Amino acid sequence: MVPFQALQAYGLKVDAVCPGKKGGEYCKTAVHDFTGHQTYTELPGHNFVLTATFEEVESKNYDILVIPGGRAPEYLSVNDSVIEFIKGFAALNRPIASICHGQLILAAAGILAGKKCTAYPAVKPAMVAAGGHWLDPNPISACFTDGNLITGAAWPGHPEFLKLSLEALGAKISNADKKVLFICGDFMEDYEVMVPFQALQGLGYMVDAVCPDKRAGDKCPTAVHDFEGAQTYSEKPGHNFALTADFETVQADAYDALIIPGGRSPEYLALNEKVLDLVKAFSKSNKPIASICHGQQILAAAGVLKGKRCTAYPAIKPQVTNAGGEWLDPNPISKCFTDGSLVTGAAWPAHPEFISQLMHLLGTEVTF
């Protein structure tokens, strides 16, 4: 989801396909995390909606191919149609960006011979056997480029993975010397913190994440909120998100913008006077504030929505209107709105607009 939504926010048209499935169908995802065991843990993740049908796409119509990791590459690497597609794309001499276990597909396609590359460390034997020149991913966020091949080891490497992908596409990034602060809390929504956090880092932004009563290096558990046919969203455990700074020492004047993720954390963060004072400081300075989903509960409590045209997760509408906000219906759920220095969105499907509208307020532009 991070590269998928980030590349859209940067201005690219992005498709996602899966053998045997059509556009509009979904793939289940897995939450892989590092929690102190000898290997990663796995929990059920979001359902990822495909945008096109595998049998109908042609490699010549795309400028870059991205291969995510997880457990899918194991079985995709023995799918003849996938292997032929990979070989065809490689023959075009266009960028291929693969991360984590995705390189199992590249190894099966025979395109790693002589290439300097990395992957999740357990994939090393398969890559070496396929003729790849192994580069140790130390730290785990390390990514490498060799010609048109970009490889990374795991999701902490997304910022560098995105940066190298943009370079491979010949992108020019202007006015990206920005500092952005995230206000985090336990059980914020997984995507709603990770996607904008890593997408902005991929542009070169300096990004900090803080949480009351926690310090840099501490972690916040996140929640996977998804739409699975019930009358409201479902919840599953997400990744553990590492904070980068101490809440007690941050000052609004050190940052260019503020981002507030949704999830369940905003309902209790809205009771914290120090959080509200920090939000008020950004608002008073007329610095951009971007808030999504339930994050607007904090804005309502801080009294900064009065007279603002804005949206939120639909169930938050009464809180927004009672705080003086002018409600804008998020139809579709991916719709975001900007009013002055305020950007609001309804849920994580809106990330491409959410990120791009904040980029616009900060004067950042990506051109190809």
Side-chain angles (χ1 to χ4, degrees):
M1 187 61 80
V2 172
F4 181 80
Q5 292 191 316
L7 292 174
Q8 290 179 78
Y10 301 159
L12 292 172
K13 168 70 169 65
V14 186
D15 277 328
V17 297
C18 173
K21 298 191 178 188
K22 297 180 179 181
E25 296 181 344
Y26 67 84
C27 290
K28 290 184 176 295
T29 69
V31 172
H32 287 172
D33 210 350
F34 310 99
T35 57
H37 302 286
Q38 291 186 338
T39 189
Y40 52 85
T41 56
E42 178 174 300
L43 294 168
H46 295 81
N47 296 312
F48 183 91
V49 179
L50 304 169
T51 66
T53 301
F54 177 78
E55 287 74 19
E56 297 176 358
V57 297
E58 297 183 67
S59 56
K60 66 180 182 180
N61 294 327
Y62 297 92
D63 299 293
I64 187 170
L65 176 66
V66 179
I67 305 176
R71 285 193 292 108
E74 292 180 339
Y75 76 87
L76 292 177
S77 69
V78 296
N79 184 304
D80 291 340
S81 296
V82 170
I83 298 305
E84 288 306 310
F85 188 89
I86 299 294
K87 289 179 178 179
F89 201 93
L92 295 172
N93 204 32
R94 294 176 182 175
I96 296 177
S98 183
I99 197 164
C100 196
H101 287 68
Q103 287 81 302
L104 289 171
I105 300 176
L106 303 184
I111 64 172
L112 291 181
K115 291 287 188 179
K116 297 178 181 178
C117 48
T118 196
Y120 187 70
V123 181
K124 176 181 177 180
M127 296 182 66
V128 172
H133 177 68
W134 177 257
L135 298 176
D136 191 39
N138 186 16
I140 199 69
S141 58
C143 295
F144 302 97
T145 298
D146 186 344
N148 283 323
L149 179 65
I150 300 161
T151 53
W155 57 261
H158 279 148
E160 183 70 9
F161 189 72
L162 290 166
K163 175 178 176 289
L164 296 176
S165 296
L166 287 173
E167 290 177 358
L169 289 166
K172 295 181 180 179
I173 306 170
S174 60
N175 203 23
D177 54 338
K178 303 298 180 182
K179 294 181 66 178
V180 176
L181 181 67
F182 280 66
I183 296 181
C184 301
D186 288 350
F187 300 107
M188 58 188 165
E189 211 287 326
D190 195 348
Y191 281 166
E192 290 174 4
V193 62
M194 189 65 78
V195 174
F197 188 88
Q198 292 190 318
L200 295 177
Q201 287 182 317
L203 292 172
Y205 283 29
M206 197 284 257
V207 187
D208 273 331
V210 297
C211 174
D213 303 319
K214 295 193 180 189
R215 300 190 175 196
D218 290 346
K219 294 183 178 181
C220 288
T222 69
V224 169
H225 286 171
D226 210 350
F227 310 98
E228 300 180 292
Q231 290 186 338
T232 189
Y233 53 85
S234 61
E235 178 170 304
K236 292 167 281 192
H239 295 85
N240 292 307
F241 185 87
L243 304 170
T244 65
D246 298 350
F247 177 82
E248 296 297 333
T249 60
V250 294
Q251 300 290 331
D253 58 11
Y255 297 91
D256 299 296
L258 175 69
I259 294 181
I260 306 176
R264 285 196 291 110
S265 59
E267 65 181 12
Y268 80 85
L269 292 176
L271 304 175
N272 188 307
E273 291 297 331
K274 292 183 178 179
V275 168
L276 301 184
D277 286 343
L278 185 58
V279 171
K280 291 174 184 177
F282 274 91
S283 179
K284 185 177 181 180
S285 300
N286 203 34
K287 293 183 176 182
I289 297 175
S291 182
I292 196 163
C293 196
H294 287 68
Q296 287 80 305
Q297 291 177 309
I298 297 175
L299 302 185
V304 300
L305 291 181
K306 190 172 183 178
K308 291 290 186 179
R309 302 173 72 246
C310 52
T311 196
Y313 186 69
I316 306 303
K317 179 179 178 179
Q319 296 177 54
V320 170
T321 56
N322 287 340
E326 181 183 338
W327 178 258
L328 299 175
D329 192 37
N331 186 16
I333 200 71
S334 58
K335 185 71 176 173
C336 289
F337 301 95
T338 297
D339 186 348
S341 59
L342 177 65
V343 178
T344 53
W348 56 260
H351 280 146
E353 284 195 17
F354 185 73
I355 296 165
S356 64
Q357 289 184 25
L358 177 61
M359 289 169 56
H360 179 74
L361 286 180
L362 291 171
T364 302
E365 187 176 9
V366 180
T367 56
F368 297 91

